[in-house]
Amino acid sequence: MGGYYEGDDHSGYRERRALPVLNIPTSVIVAGLVIWSALSLGAWWLVDPVLSWISGAAGPLADTGAGLAKWFGLGEEATALRDAANIEGLLGWAGGSIHFLVKTVVLLVWVAGLIALIAIPAVLRRGQRRQ
C-alpha cells in the first residue's frame, strides 16, 4: 500500500541523504581569533584608565552627595559619614584587589573565547555526523 520512495529499501527504512558538510575555512577561524584577541587586548588596556577614573571620581562624588544632603538639612551627619567612610582611602586599599580581579576576568574570558573559536569546527563536524 505504501508508495515507493527514492532510497526506500522496502523494509520501512529510507537511507539518509548525505547532508553537506559545513567546513569553516581556517582563514575565518584565524580572523576570528585575531578580532577576539584585539577586543580582549582593548579591554585589558581599558582596565587601568577606567579604574583610575572611578577612584578619581569617588571623592568629588562623595562631596556632591554631602552637599546634596546639606541642602536637605542633613549636612553634618553626611559630612561625618563621608569622613568616617574615608572613600578615597577605601578605594586606594581595594584598588589593587579590584585591578587584579578585573584583569584576571578579562584574561579568563579571552581564553574561553579562544577555546570556543578553536572548537567550533570540531563541534559542527560532530553535529553533522549525528544527523
Side-chain angles (χ1 to χ4, degrees):
M1 296 217 180
Y4 175 74
Y5 298 103
E6 185 180 336
D8 194 348
D9 64 356
H10 301 289
S11 64
Y13 295 103
R14 293 183 191 163
E15 68 182 48
R16 288 188 182 169
R17 295 180 187 249
L19 296 173
V21 177
L22 183 60
N23 287 328
I24 298 176
T26 305
S27 60
V28 172
I29 299 296
V30 170
L33 292 173
V34 168
I35 291 169
W36 179 247
S37 295
L39 289 172
S40 297
L41 186 61
W44 181 272
W45 283 341
L46 282 176
V47 167
D48 292 328
V50 168
L51 289 178
S52 295
W53 174 76
I54 290 172
S55 65
L61 284 174
D63 292 339
T64 302
L68 187 62
K70 190 179 292 185
W71 187 67
F72 282 108
L74 303 169
E76 295 171 5
E77 294 86 1
T79 303
L81 183 61
R82 181 197 66 208
D83 292 340
N86 189 15
I87 300 294
E88 292 88 359
L90 181 65
L91 279 176
W93 173 78
S97 300
I98 293 171
H99 183 265
F100 174 76
L101 288 174
V102 171
K103 287 220 172 182
T104 302
V105 167
V106 168
L107 184 65
L108 290 175
V109 168
W110 175 73
V111 168
L114 190 73
I115 291 169
L117 284 170
I118 291 172
I120 283 174
V123 170
L124 290 177
R125 270 187 253 124
R126 186 174 182 185
Q128 287 290 335
R129 278 189 245 143
R130 286 188 180 176
Q131 293 179 354

